[in-house]
Amino acid sequence: LADDVAYDQIDVGHLRSQLGVVAQEPLLFSGTIADNVRYAHPEASPQELSKALELACAKEWVESLPNGLESPIGDRGTMISGGQRQRLAIARALLGKPRFLILDEPTNHLDSQAIAKIMDNLRQIPEAPGILIITHDESVAAQADCVYRLEQGGLLATRSLGRKGEIAVS
């Protein structure tokens, strides 16, 4: 069941619209920062775009660029760093205001200070989504409310703090 609705009765399009996903290697395309972040939500207001970039710790960097949001990033984001690509992918996922956010190794190219700030920002979102973090990074897993380890084809609970919403799978 999902929200007390049997899976065979679920409107898959509606379900997908409630999810935000950040892949380990984010899919970006040739275009501007704004194009890439607004990809699934072209109707997003400038304020919504700014807030998503702020939550992903990308706003200051974007504003420092001569062309700001209209700066090109190159095919697959080749003109920006790995950390900047991750931040744009996180902003894109957050722009849709998902009810559930899946982060697959979201901090690959980020330093520990950036990781801590982004994790803190995710906790501060009004109507915060449930968050599933898939990670090998112990510093990320240490910040989660519940941690499960994949062992012998199953999930083993290794820690539960009883707070709402976050699960890290390492």
Side-chain angles (χ1 to χ4, degrees):
L1 300 176
D3 282 342
D4 297 322
V5 177
Y7 281 117
D8 61 349
Q9 301 297 314
I10 290 176
D11 176 347
V12 176
H14 177 72
L15 178 64
R16 287 182 181 150
S17 74
Q18 303 298 306
L19 300 175
V21 179
V22 177
Q24 186 172 359
E25 291 297 324
L27 179 61
L28 300 173
F29 55 89
S30 184
T32 67
I33 290 170
D35 294 337
N36 276 273
V37 176
R38 282 191 170 128
Y39 177 69
H41 301 281
E43 76 289 347
S45 71
Q47 295 81 11
E48 291 170 320
L49 182 59
S50 177
K51 184 62 177 175
L53 289 166
E54 181 181 334
L55 290 168
C57 297
K59 185 177 177 183
E60 285 183 32
W61 158 66
V62 171
E63 289 177 346
S64 74
L65 297 171
N67 295 320
L69 289 168
E70 297 309 313
S71 299
I73 64 168
D75 188 34
R76 292 184 277 168
T78 55
M79 294 172 63
I80 59 177
S81 74
Q84 291 164 337
R85 288 192 295 271
Q86 286 299 115
R87 291 169 199 235
L88 292 185
I90 292 169
R92 177 194 292 165
L94 293 173
L95 191 61
K97 298 178 185 142
R99 290 183 57 202
F100 193 74
L101 183 60
I102 301 170
L103 304 172
D104 182 8
E105 298 288 0
T107 58
N108 268 355
H109 304 285
L110 301 175
D111 62 47
S112 59
Q113 185 177 13
I115 292 167
K117 180 64 177 156
I118 289 172
M119 298 303 288
D120 187 52
N121 287 351
L122 293 176
R123 286 187 191 91
Q124 304 305 319
I125 298 172
E127 300 180 27
I131 302 172
L132 171 66
I133 302 170
I134 304 162
T135 186
H136 290 91
D137 186 334
E138 293 294 328
S139 68
V140 173
Q143 297 181 48
D145 296 336
C146 302
V147 177
Y148 292 83
R149 192 171 295 282
L150 188 59
E151 287 187 16
Q152 299 176 357
L155 291 178
L156 173 66
T158 60
R159 179 169 51 86
S160 176
L161 301 177
R163 285 183 266 153
K164 178 186 168 224
E166 295 175 2
I167 297 173
V169 177
S170 61

